[in-house]
Amino acid sequence: MTNAELPAPRTVVPIEPSLLIAEAFDQAQVTELRHSVTSCAYAVGLTGQRLDDFVLAVNELITNAVRHGGGQGRLRLWRRGGDLVCEVADHGHGISERRLRDRDRPAPETAGGWGLWLARELSDTMEVETGDAGTAVRITAALTTPQPARPLDG
């Protein structure tokens, strides 16, 4: 190519166009991260009580990661089809099989043990992968408002 020839314009498409948030966090970032999740979830169409429920579920997972997962974690939020998906991962020692199987609501006077139960109740689906190297919890919420199509080169 000579100096007189201009390169053809390129269209840049993100590798993960549906990824909304990918953040590491510790106790100091919990409030800011919760606000970011709220803003992103609202922007993709989650509203009203569904928005409040999803954000509370995410907050419980973040708090669990800080309290029980080594004091820090990683959050990813993305769209998958008509769902909003959030994954919170930590490097703690895992969750016991007994705790994972327990689907009963904690007793009202119980000080702890509400996080996973609330996350499960307030989201459409919940998946947990856990072991000695840490835990990853993924929750979803169905979006009621489809996101408008965007041009690829726009």
Side-chain angles (χ1 to χ4, degrees):
M1 172 164 69
T2 67
N3 286 341
E5 296 174 359
L6 296 175
R10 295 186 314 186
T11 301
V12 178
V13 178
I15 293 171
E16 294 185 59
S18 61
L19 186 61
L20 303 169
I21 299 175
E23 293 284 330
F25 63 88
D26 61 18
Q27 179 63 45
Q29 286 88 34
V30 169
T31 300
E32 180 182 336
L33 191 53
R34 184 178 61 243
H35 291 303
S36 295
V37 168
T38 302
S39 296
C40 288
Y42 180 78
V44 298
L46 209 53
T47 60
Q49 190 63 49
R50 300 270 302 149
L51 174 63
D52 294 344
D53 288 350
F54 187 77
V55 172
L56 179 54
V58 170
N59 188 69
E60 290 298 322
L61 297 177
I62 294 169
T63 302
N64 276 355
V66 170
R67 286 187 184 156
H68 308 293
Q72 57 190 0
R74 182 147 188 88
L75 180 140
R76 291 188 321 128
L77 182 73
W78 70 95
R79 283 187 61 115
R80 181 178 63 204
D83 290 334
L84 183 60
V85 183
C86 183
E87 181 180 86
V88 176
D90 64 50
H91 295 290
H93 298 293
I95 302 171
S96 73
E97 190 65 35
R98 181 189 61 77
R99 169 77 71 190
L100 288 177
R101 282 193 317 265
D102 186 6
R103 305 272 174 152
D104 294 333
R105 179 182 176 156
E109 66 277 1
T110 305
W114 288 87
L116 285 177
W117 183 84
L118 277 169
R120 186 179 291 114
E121 291 294 310
L122 297 174
S123 59
D124 292 332
T125 66
M126 185 173 95
E127 302 168 14
V128 180
E129 294 178 21
T130 189
D132 292 338
T135 299
V137 181
R138 185 177 292 174
I139 61 172
T140 65
L143 298 170
T144 56
T145 306
Q147 182 171 337
R150 294 183 309 188
L152 291 177
D153 61 353

